[in-house]
Amino acid sequence: MSRKSPLGTLVALGGGDDDAMLAMLTDMLPAPTATVEIVTTASSNPGRSSRGYQDSLHDLGCRSVHHLRIDERHAADTEENLRRLERAAMVFFTGGDQERITEFWQKTRALAVLADRYRHDAAFIVAGTSAGAAVLPDCMIVEGHGARSLTKGGLRTAPGLGLLGEVYLDQHFAERGRFGRLAHAVVQHPTRLGLGLGQETGIIVRGGQEAEVFGDGVVMVVDGQHLRGSNLGRIGRGEPVAGQDLRVHVLVSSQRLDLHSRQVVANQ
């Protein structure tokens, strides 16, 4: 992506019940007639997933909600899909398997259109929950379980969609005990800021600069810019990972984090 800050808005939820998030997103749309595209690429049951979100958004007053299906049976780069992405007010990625999203979206014209809208259209919203949130940055955590995630080889990352640079978004964070794998990811790449999103909790990123927390739980921030003592270059596979001076914040609803300075922004 360009180094210039994007004009659009990014919304990421850590999974779980997303009714409150959908109500918030509805309020962020410019009008009830604004077009919402539901992307179910990650889902194992795309029809059911789309119907659930369409019904919920219709109940909230959205009049133009559609299923944008891109997967092994539906190519990304059809002219219809590109037109729909050009016209959408919001594109929402559902949960499931985030590697399916990158499999069918990376290196496509569809992703180029999505990224261009996000960069240049201040009214455009890209949102995602669970896997649909984790995939939004330039890199994502795709594997790492329990104590094994703090051993060399116990973590696997992969390229994401690239809408948010130098950040990891990990989902279902507190509920699934994922601090270890996020800490390992930051030790491995200390220039990237780790954000662990609890369920029913997420962030709104406006202009690529400031992340505001929303929801009932917490967002844990793991900052490795002052990291020292990493042993990753000296240990073998299966040995425990070490590092000192990781900085951790625990943030709750309405608190804000400057993603560039990595400082918590004082509420006015």
Side-chain angles (χ1 to χ4, degrees):
M1 286 187 64
S2 166
R3 292 184 180 180
K4 184 178 178 181
S5 295
L7 299 180
T9 299
L10 183 148
V11 183
L13 181 75
D17 188 333
D18 45 27
D19 287 349
M21 178 198 191
L22 295 176
M24 180 186 74
L25 289 173
T26 300
D27 290 341
M28 292 171 67
L29 291 170
T33 53
T35 299
V36 178
E37 296 286 357
I38 306 296
V39 178
T40 59
T41 309
S43 176
S44 60
N45 193 328
R48 184 174 64 184
S49 179
S50 176
R51 284 192 298 273
Y53 283 108
Q54 288 178 290
D55 290 346
S56 294
L57 288 167
H58 284 149
D59 289 345
L60 289 164
C62 296
R63 301 176 193 168
S64 182
V65 186
H66 307 281
H67 182 191
L68 182 63
R69 187 167 179 184
I70 294 174
D71 51 34
E72 50 269 91
R73 296 184 179 181
H74 301 81
D77 289 341
T78 67
E79 292 304 317
E80 180 187 1
N81 285 351
L82 299 179
R83 283 194 300 270
R84 288 169 64 177
L85 288 168
E86 288 281 9
R87 296 171 181 170
M90 180 172 72
V91 175
F92 180 88
F93 289 87
T94 70
D97 178 356
Q98 64 248 41
E99 288 188 284
R100 284 182 52 82
I101 301 175
T102 53
E103 178 181 359
F104 297 109
W105 279 77
Q106 279 180 340
K107 299 180 181 179
T108 64
R109 291 167 63 199
L111 178 55
V113 170
L114 182 79
D116 188 70
R117 291 284 315 280
Y118 177 59
R119 289 188 198 112
H120 299 117
D121 188 343
F124 186 58
I125 302 168
V126 182
T129 182
S130 188
V135 76
L136 297 176
D138 59 351
C139 194
M140 60 184 182
I141 299 172
V142 294
E143 192 172 296
H145 303 285
R148 287 177 295 174
S149 66
L150 276 170
T151 60
K152 190 167 184 176
L155 172 79
R156 186 166 67 89
T157 62
L161 295 184
L163 300 181
L164 193 61
E166 295 298 307
V167 171
Y168 290 111
L169 295 180
D170 205 358
Q171 73 275 36
H172 304 283
F173 188 72
E175 294 78 9
R176 298 187 184 176
R178 289 180 166 172
F179 178 80
R181 76 180 199 174
L182 186 60
H184 185 169
V186 172
V187 169
Q188 185 170 284
H189 293 288
T191 60
R192 293 197 176 109
L193 188 66
L195 301 179
L197 312 179
Q199 292 181 179
E200 289 88 55
T201 310
I203 55 171
I204 306 169
V205 182
R206 296 181 176 91
Q209 172 78 28
E210 197 171 88
E212 180 180 352
V213 178
F214 68 89
D216 295 333
V218 302
V219 171
M220 184 168 287
V221 181
V222 182
D223 178 4
Q225 66 179 332
H226 301 298
L227 176 72
R228 62 182 181 87
S230 170
N231 65 350
L232 278 173
R234 306 188 302 274
I235 61 175
R237 188 174 183 85
E239 293 186 76
V241 172
Q244 292 87 57
D245 289 342
L246 288 176
R247 189 176 187 186
V248 175
H249 305 299
V250 180
L251 305 182
V252 297
S253 182
S254 81
Q255 290 192 289
R256 293 171 293 145
L257 178 75
D258 187 308
L259 297 176
H260 294 174
S261 70
R262 304 188 173 194
Q263 298 298 310
V264 178
V265 180
N267 289 326
Q268 301 297 319

